[in-house]
Amino acid sequence: MKKVVIIGAGPAGVTAAYELEKANSGMEVIILEESHAIGGISRTVLYNGNRMDIGGHRFFSKDKSVNDWWENVMPKQGSPTYDDIVLGRTMPLKEGGPDPEKVDRVMLRRNRVSRIYYGKKFFDYPIKMNVQTIKNMGFATTMVAGFSYLKSIFVKKKEDCLENFYINRFGKKLYSMFFEGYTEKLWGRHPRDIAADWGAQRVKGLSIIAIFKDNFRKLFKIGDASKVETSLIEEFDYPKLGPGQLWECACKDACDMGAKLIYGAKVTNVTLDGNKAVSVTYENENNEKVVIECDYVISSMPIKDLVAGMNDVPANVREVAGGLPYRDYVTIGLLLPSINLKNETKLKTLSNIVPDCWIYVQDSGVKLGRIQIYNNWSPYMVKKPEETVWIGLEYFCKEGDEFWNMTEDEWVKFGTEELIKMGVINSADEVLDHHRENVKKAYPAYFDTYDRIDEVTSYLSTIENLYCVGRNGQHRYNNMDHSMVTSFESVKNILNGVTDKTNVWNVNTEKVYHEEKGEN
């Protein structure tokens, strides 16, 4: 029996295990997970009956195979009523953690509402060219933005950095208002110092023209909604108890089919013999080293750590991998009796709060990057959704810096002061409960040695039985669906004896999303 070692139980690792077992491959599948949680940054955190979605995860893809996979693991609810999906009365919240044995596997259909907070005003995201936007911007600013955009149509900048990528699509004025500040918060670098690759993978088809087309389509109810740019979708699916519930269910299914999951397994080495990986070494919770001989390795661990633990790696590859940067972040969950942001839309919400899933904070006057309102992701995320508002404050930082090392009490004080400054709450006394989550290597970054990453990927591709998958496994800012597809392709290669990794590395590298083109 051949043995496959999968490093990491995030979306990519769980998908790979599930696919191998579903295919009745006859292989022994072992998943090594350093933590005690399934889902990576797509996990659900439970604290005092309230749940946190680490980073915010919409389940939406134009890749049919991905949508079918999700629905096979967790069926959609169908056509839920208002009470079903907003008030949660027909499916009572069950106490305890998101244990797949104890909760219904249900996907809810959610409204995708996001806004930008800029200059103490709220703008739709993506920006809508409507009366409210013009009113918020003011006539003078609107004119400047319009002429700036017209200039960008005729005078294109060389896309050698993220700043120029944005300016070419939105004009300099809109870029400075709605992209520059937030991007610098996220990456800790100015957009002019970041490779345009990030925009090519995350923004791609989004532009002023795309926004106008979408507004026109909605106004006159024409065109094919399935061809809407990913950033413009208005609805998405969401697991009843947050994203982690789906990955926990999928992992359980994989284990029921034969896979083995080992928690607390920190991978330290992948041993090579020529152009093959022959074993994986991990440290268990007793600090004991365990060696597993293997026939295949599917790795979703950060490339930086993977290469550092490999033998006989060329010096240039070790140098580039060692210099690959990451961005970390901290999420502060705050339980409040209410917030000052009232619902002025036609969408129904609990306690008349705004319907936003998240609010992007572009204003440079605060360090806060984004606010999640967990009530609106799913009412089951909140212990008492009709009485309290459970929000998450997201701050981007670097592991080990002054913000990363702040205590939870310091973070709560800092966060509440910024919310008061923004007018979201009135007083720190309104905080009923709180919880902090630090997330390492959440975002693979596109600077420092990233411009030489091809040296690393080319070398890793020569190792016949090693497949790098997922966001950190490829050092690529993939969405969940793209991470899953890297595993789909890897498993196909393993089952068919294909050693060429081109199909795996090519996922989400085109200038236009394969999902935006409607391909499967």
Side-chain angles (χ1 to χ4, degrees):
M1 180 181 292
K2 291 188 176 181
K3 187 178 296 183
V4 183
V5 174
I6 298 173
I7 305 174
V14 170
T15 299
Y18 187 98
E19 288 295 291
L20 283 166
E21 293 297 346
K22 186 182 71 172
N24 294 315
S25 65
M27 299 181 185
E28 182 181 358
V29 179
I30 300 174
I31 311 169
L32 302 178
E33 170 54 44
E34 182 177 355
S35 71
H36 281 265
I38 302 298
I41 64 170
S42 299
R43 67 187 181 275
T44 301
V45 174
L46 176 66
Y47 176 76
N48 284 349
N50 297 300
R51 294 174 168 84
M52 299 171 67
D53 179 343
I54 304 301
H57 293 86
R58 291 177 290 142
F59 285 73
F60 171 85
S61 179
K62 290 185 178 179
D63 188 320
K64 185 176 183 300
S65 62
V66 171
N67 285 315
D68 289 346
W69 197 96
W70 283 335
E71 185 155 8
N72 187 55
V73 173
M74 188 168 287
K76 296 178 183 178
Q77 192 182 40
S79 300
T81 65
Y82 168 68
D83 284 350
D84 288 334
I85 65 172
V86 179
L87 301 180
R89 289 172 176 160
T90 63
M91 296 181 295
L93 178 66
K94 300 185 180 180
E95 292 300 323
D99 181 351
E101 293 287 341
K102 299 179 181 178
V103 299
D104 299 323
R105 295 191 181 194
V106 175
M107 277 281 206
L108 304 178
R109 192 67 172 168
R110 312 306 290 158
N111 290 305
R112 192 261 194 174
V113 181
S114 306
R115 287 187 294 176
I116 295 171
Y117 179 79
Y118 176 81
K120 295 189 176 181
K121 295 179 181 178
F122 288 91
F123 295 80
D124 290 324
Y125 178 80
I127 294 297
K128 294 180 179 177
M129 307 312 294
N130 55 25
V131 174
Q132 187 60 48
T133 298
I134 295 172
K135 181 180 178 181
N136 285 349
M137 291 173 62
F139 178 77
T141 301
T142 301
M143 293 300 293
V144 172
F147 283 112
S148 174
Y149 171 66
L150 288 175
K151 180 180 177 180
S152 73
I153 294 176
F154 299 103
V155 182
K156 293 294 184 183
K157 292 179 174 288
K158 181 181 178 181
E159 291 192 356
D160 53 1
C161 66
L162 187 57
E163 179 174 63
N164 290 348
F165 178 92
Y166 279 132
I167 291 175
N168 282 345
R169 284 155 182 77
F170 300 95
K172 190 169 184 178
K173 183 61 177 179
L174 289 177
Y175 154 74
S176 66
M177 291 177 66
F178 299 119
F179 295 95
E180 187 174 18
Y182 181 82
T183 303
E184 191 164 9
K185 281 183 190 180
L186 172 58
W187 296 112
R189 301 282 183 97
H190 192 274
R192 73 174 68 95
D193 299 321
I194 301 173
D197 296 34
W198 185 85
Q201 289 177 332
R202 297 294 294 187
V203 180
K204 291 182 178 173
L206 183 62
S207 66
I208 290 293
I209 292 176
I211 293 170
F212 272 123
K213 284 182 178 178
D214 188 60
N215 290 342
F216 188 81
R217 179 188 63 80
K218 292 171 185 172
L219 179 63
F220 295 100
K221 297 180 180 180
I222 60 175
D224 185 353
S226 69
K227 298 186 182 301
V228 174
E229 302 296 347
T230 305
S231 300
L232 299 174
I233 62 112
E234 294 187 329
E235 290 185 323
F236 61 93
D237 293 319
Y238 196 75
K240 177 180 173 180
L241 297 181
Q245 183 190 14
L246 182 137
W247 300 113
E248 289 172 4
C249 290
C251 191
K252 178 183 180 300
D253 290 348
C255 290
D256 286 346
M257 289 186 282
K260 180 181 180 182
L261 170 66
I262 302 177
Y263 285 117
K266 180 180 180 180
V267 172
T268 58
N269 299 93
V270 174
T271 301
L272 305 179
D273 183 3
N275 63 346
K276 287 190 176 182
V278 294
S279 67
V280 175
T281 302
Y282 71 89
E283 289 183 357
N284 63 22
E285 294 177 310
N286 297 321
N287 295 319
E288 300 167 330
K289 288 189 178 294
V290 181
V291 179
I292 303 178
E293 294 183 353
C294 58
D295 297 283
Y296 299 96
V297 177
I298 298 177
S299 173
S300 66
M301 70 187 293
I303 285 181
K304 185 174 190 173
D305 299 333
L306 173 67
V307 172
M310 295 168 67
N311 58 292
D312 301 328
V313 175
N316 68 304
V317 173
R318 197 173 293 281
E319 175 194 357
V320 176
L324 290 175
Y326 300 82
R327 195 67 168 152
D328 315 291
Y329 73 88
V330 175
T331 298
I332 309 299
L334 297 181
L335 187 67
L336 305 164
S338 63
I339 55 178
N340 293 335
L341 309 178
K342 299 302 180 184
N343 184 14
E344 297 178 354
T345 74
K346 296 180 181 180
L347 298 172
K348 296 179 180 179
T349 62
L350 287 165
S351 304
N352 200 37
I353 61 174
V354 289
D356 304 67
C357 300
W358 51 50
I359 297 171
Y360 295 94
V361 183
Q362 302 282 10
D363 203 308
S364 59
V366 295
K367 184 175 173 60
L368 180 60
R370 194 166 66 178
I371 303 172
Q372 285 197 70
I373 303 177
Y374 297 119
N375 302 56
N376 294 332
W377 288 98
S378 166
Y380 303 98
M381 298 283 281
V382 187
K383 186 175 183 179
K384 296 181 179 179
E386 294 180 282
E387 300 175 19
T388 58
V389 182
W390 178 232
I391 66 174
L393 311 183
E394 296 184 358
Y395 288 91
F396 311 110
C397 55
K398 183 175 177 60
E399 182 183 356
D401 70 14
E402 60 177 320
F403 287 99
W404 180 268
N405 291 326
M406 283 168 57
T407 66
E408 183 166 328
D409 288 341
E410 289 172 332
W411 265 120
V412 172
K413 181 176 184 295
F414 187 84
T416 53
E417 287 176 351
E418 294 207 324
L419 290 182
I420 293 169
K421 184 177 180 179
M422 292 170 60
V424 177
I425 62 175
N426 298 318
S427 166
D429 295 335
E430 296 174 32
V431 178
L432 305 175
D433 202 355
H434 54 79
H435 180 69
R436 177 187 66 177
E437 285 287 324
N438 285 35
V439 183
K440 298 180 182 179
K441 293 184 173 66
Y443 305 114
Y446 290 60
F447 40 81
D448 294 346
T449 60
Y450 173 79
D451 61 351
R452 295 173 55 196
I453 195 170
D454 286 349
E455 296 174 42
V456 179
T457 57
S458 294
Y459 169 72
L460 293 174
S461 294
T462 66
I463 303 171
E464 291 184 2
N465 59 342
L466 172 66
Y467 296 85
C468 295
V469 297
R471 177 179 286 192
N472 280 332
Q474 295 196 335
H475 200 86
R476 188 174 293 155
Y477 197 156
N478 285 327
N479 285 326
M480 281 190 300
D481 57 343
H482 298 122
S483 294
M484 292 173 64
V485 174
T486 62
S487 290
F488 289 166
E489 296 299 320
S490 295
V491 170
K492 287 178 186 175
N493 285 5
I494 290 173
L495 296 178
N496 294 311
V498 177
T499 57
D500 180 25
K501 314 297 194 316
T502 303
N503 58 327
V504 181
W505 288 106
N506 277 353
V507 173
N508 192 25
T509 58
E510 318 90 83
K511 292 299 181 183
V512 180
Y513 273 114
H514 67 271
E515 64 177 33
E516 288 175 356
K517 293 186 292 185
E519 295 179 1
N520 294 333

